[in-house]
Amino acid sequence: MNASQTSSRALQTLRTLPVNVCRGSRHVHTLPPLQTLVSTSSPEFVERANAMNGLVSELKKDLAAIREGGGPKAQARMKSKGKLLPRERLAQLLDPASPFLELSPLAAHNVYRDADVPGAGIITGIGRVAGRECMIVVNDATVKGGSYYPLTASEETHPSSRNRKGEQAPVHIPSGGAALPHQAEVFPDAQHFGRIFYNMAQLSSQGIPQISVVHGISVAGGAYTSAMADENVIVRNQGRIFLAGPPLVKAATGEEVGEEELGGGDMHSSVSGVTDHLARDDAHAIAIARGIVGDLGAAAGGRIALPAAEDAEPPLYSSSELGGIVGTDVRQPFDMREVIARIVDGSKFREFKKEYGTTVVTGFASIHGHPVGVIGNNGILFSPSALKAAHFIELCSQRRIPLLFLVNVTGYMVGSKAERGGIAKDGAKMVRAVACANVPKFTVVVGGSFGAGNYGMCGRAYSPRFMWLWPNAKISVMGGSQLSQVMSSVSKDPAQHATLEKEIEEQASARYGSARLWDDGIIMPEDTRDVVGLGLALAARETAGTSQTHSSGWDGSSFGVFRM
């Protein structure tokens, strides 16, 4: 081969190689497309295609049957009770027109000789809820009442294990406990039923939130799935949570009790505190769950973008009405929700545990577009109120949502009943949560702030980012009249009582404390929304450039040891 032939061949070779084209600072790689050699009309191709199509048709048939769950009769029974079917609940939970990646749909297919368990009685997958990718687990109560077979537990533990890498917020729609005839294959081993609860605890400790929606009976292990969730919803007169149902309770204790009394939504929402939201029906429960996901903030790697000014929807009610609602006499009660309605965007407030611990109001809102968790007083802090507030603070800390304390508190409940009920340890939980919450905290004293209630509601000693007072605010160890009564029991000098009462009243005034820099200023009630909004904007800008992921370790709050 001569030199010219070599040069010609080299040039031809270069023309067939990928070319790097430099355009400014960008390099564009041009690759030739692959050329197919397949003949779609060849006998071999047609034979292979027909064989594959046969398998695909068979798979589609199996999947269609699995999607029917327990079959038409079981579905009809569920519908007759006014309930949505499991896949209807799933459809309402997902964002419209968004994809759902279903996992392991063939689980338990033709595995158990004694029972047909389509999909292992469970639907798992990844879908988008309120704009956020979530791992979703839906128990199908049409399949053996939602009982857990060995492969049901396996299917649920696998997604939650994968979740550690994906960091999706899990949404559980739980049902029955273990299928008792298979208990030896469901209960005792490392990857059996108990692993679900282990994974839930681990995920929560890593700052990955979990939500449970109880549409039906959640018994035994199913009860723990709901109780261990960070936030949960139960449907009134439909959802049930108990460790043992009425038959087992009677066998074990002799007590005869109905399902609703034993573990119904009203009881758990107002008495036990096991549930956080009470829904009217299935659709309402799903709507609440979507709201919860929408309020997850920066939890599990989420991002909170700085809002634009036009995003801030003004309250429906005028802030000029705040003075008439609160007044100047700290002994006169008012509903803190009326204050909240005149501060937050659009007067929209998603309340948390509304029926439980009613002397404290907790919930999620936004102010000038910035998400915020609100804690406000509606009376004396009882044990349920303190526990509710501590739970809410934990949620906001996990989700990196700032806290706003609207204070009008006389303190924690006293007396023998309260002490026997553990008010000291329950109040300590709330105080510890406030102290350790690793999120920006803002305090506005709109009425009185007395005794340990001052600490539990993020007084100056608990390092709020800003603390403001209304002109009527009073802060002291107790009210002047209470202090006078206490002194009268230990001192016999009435003149001293009167002098001390007057002195305490003066020291409790907003002007007295503000003059000594015990706060960040006295503000007009009607300016509260704008003042707090500016504080939230400053806090948001400080954290906007920081990483908010959970890749290697949880950098959220550490609350130490709660005295249980």
Side-chain angles (χ1 to χ4, degrees):
M1 184 180 295
N2 59 34
S4 63
Q5 288 176 317
T6 302
S7 175
S8 175
R9 175 134 335 153
L11 180 62
Q12 188 67 30
T13 301
L14 285 172
R15 284 172 178 165
T16 64
L17 293 175
V19 178
N20 292 335
V21 182
C22 182
R23 295 177 182 172
S25 61
R26 297 176 59 196
H27 286 77
V28 180
H29 298 272
T30 304
L31 295 173
L34 291 170
Q35 301 296 315
T36 182
L37 301 177
V38 171
S39 171
T40 58
S41 60
S42 69
E44 183 181 16
F45 179 90
V46 172
E47 181 183 357
R48 289 179 177 182
N50 288 338
M52 180 62 75
N53 289 338
L55 290 179
V56 169
S57 296
E58 190 176 330
L59 175 62
K60 287 181 177 179
K61 182 179 178 181
D62 287 340
L63 290 176
I66 287 168
R67 292 191 182 101
E68 291 296 311
K73 289 185 178 179
Q75 290 184 354
R77 282 196 301 269
M78 180 174 281
K79 297 288 283 185
S80 69
K81 298 176 182 178
K83 299 180 180 181
L84 295 173
L85 297 176
R87 290 187 182 272
E88 291 175 339
R89 293 168 182 164
L90 176 62
Q92 289 196 14
L93 180 67
L94 296 171
D95 289 352
S98 67
F100 178 67
L101 175 60
E102 186 166 354
L103 304 174
S104 307
L106 283 176
H109 182 61
N110 292 334
V111 171
Y112 300 109
R113 295 180 180 179
D114 61 336
D116 182 23
V117 190
I122 198 171
I123 306 163
T124 62
I126 299 171
R128 187 173 300 133
V129 181
R132 187 186 191 111
E133 273 62 46
C134 296
M135 180 70 72
I136 302 170
V137 178
V138 183
N139 288 93
D140 189 345
T142 69
V143 179
K144 307 300 179 183
S147 297
Y148 276 68
Y149 280 73
L151 285 168
T152 314
S154 296
E155 185 177 353
E156 186 161 345
T157 55
H158 288 173
S160 59
S161 297
R162 284 192 292 267
N163 195 271
R164 297 186 185 194
K165 297 180 180 179
E167 293 188 331
Q168 303 94 5
V171 181
H172 298 266
I173 301 180
S175 190
L180 296 180
H182 294 268
Q183 68 87 28
E185 302 169 80
V186 174
F187 178 71
D189 205 359
Q191 295 300 325
H192 286 175
F193 203 18
R195 194 69 178 189
I196 298 170
F197 317 133
Y198 173 88
N199 287 342
M200 290 183 72
Q202 288 288 313
L203 292 174
S204 184
S205 72
Q206 296 164 24
I208 299 174
Q210 293 149 96
I211 300 151
S212 174
V213 187
V214 185
H215 293 275
I217 293 179
S218 286
V219 64
Y224 287 113
T225 304
S226 305
M228 291 187 69
D230 297 290
E231 197 167 349
N232 61 31
V233 187
I234 190 168
V235 180
R236 171 178 270 145
N237 297 323
Q238 181 177 302
R240 310 278 194 275
I241 300 175
F242 31 62
L243 299 184
L248 182 53
V249 168
K250 183 177 180 180
T253 69
E255 179 187 7
E256 293 191 13
V257 61
E259 287 186 352
E260 185 65 23
E261 182 184 357
L262 181 63
D266 282 301
M267 188 283 287
H268 279 310
S269 297
S270 62
V271 180
S272 73
V274 169
T275 52
D276 307 318
H277 303 278
L278 186 60
R280 296 184 302 271
D281 52 30
D282 280 357
H284 186 211
I286 294 297
I288 293 173
R290 286 182 54 81
I292 293 171
V293 176
D295 285 331
L296 287 181
R303 297 290 190 275
I304 301 178
L306 292 176
E310 58 269 20
D311 292 339
E313 183 182 357
L316 297 179
Y317 314 102
S318 174
S319 61
S320 64
E321 299 168 350
L322 287 170
I325 291 168
V326 176
T328 60
D329 187 349
V330 295
R331 295 169 299 182
Q332 295 299 316
F334 62 90
D335 190 344
M336 191 62 77
R337 295 177 185 85
E338 297 290 352
V339 175
I340 295 169
R342 287 157 178 81
I343 293 176
V344 303
D345 292 356
S347 301
K348 297 173 182 176
F349 181 61
R350 188 177 70 79
E351 194 162 347
F352 173 77
K353 277 189 178 302
K354 181 178 181 180
E355 293 80 13
Y356 184 75
T358 54
T359 59
V360 71
V361 178
T362 55
F364 298 94
S366 60
I367 297 178
H368 282 289
H370 296 279
V372 64
V374 183
I375 302 177
N377 301 114
N378 257 9
I380 296 173
L381 289 166
F382 293 85
S383 281
S385 309
L387 294 173
K388 168 181 172 177
H391 184 177
F392 183 72
I393 291 167
E394 286 184 306
L395 290 181
C396 290
S397 297
Q398 183 193 61
R399 301 171 187 181
R400 294 172 171 78
I401 295 175
L403 286 161
L404 171 62
F405 294 82
L406 297 175
V407 185
N408 180 39
V409 61
T410 56
Y412 290 91
M413 188 60 187
V414 297
S416 62
K417 183 178 180 181
E419 297 294 358
R420 289 174 182 270
I423 187 63
K425 64 180 177 65
D426 294 335
K429 291 186 183 75
M430 180 177 175
V431 170
R432 182 184 291 272
V434 173
C436 298
N438 190 22
V439 294
K441 294 171 282 191
F442 302 87
T443 302
V444 182
V445 183
V446 305
S449 182
F450 297 112
N454 174 271
Y455 304 152
M457 290 299 293
C458 200
R460 192 67 157 179
Y462 285 76
S463 298
R465 184 72 59 97
F466 293 101
M467 177 176 170
W468 295 288
L469 312 182
W470 282 8
N472 60 310
K474 293 185 182 297
I475 302 176
S476 72
V477 68
M478 65 181 70
S481 59
Q482 289 94 339
L483 187 141
S484 179
Q485 293 176 31
V486 171
M487 288 300 298
S488 66
S489 66
V490 297
S491 171
K492 297 181 179 179
D493 185 356
Q496 185 183 15
H497 307 164
T499 302
L500 186 58
E501 181 178 350
K502 182 178 179 181
E503 184 179 337
I504 292 297
E505 287 290 346
E506 179 185 350
Q507 292 175 353
S509 70
R511 288 173 177 270
Y512 185 95
S514 199
R516 288 157 178 78
L517 302 179
W518 294 348
D519 53 70
D520 294 299
I522 302 173
I523 62 174
M524 308 302 174
E526 58 266 29
D527 293 336
T528 303
R529 168 178 166 80
D530 292 338
V531 169
V532 172
L534 284 171
L536 289 167
L538 289 172
R541 290 191 181 95
E542 288 176 15
T543 58
T546 62
S547 173
Q548 296 179 324
T549 64
H550 301 260
S551 56
S552 59
W554 165 233
D555 60 351
S557 304
S558 176
F559 293 99
V561 177
F562 281 106
R563 181 174 296 279
M564 308 308 287

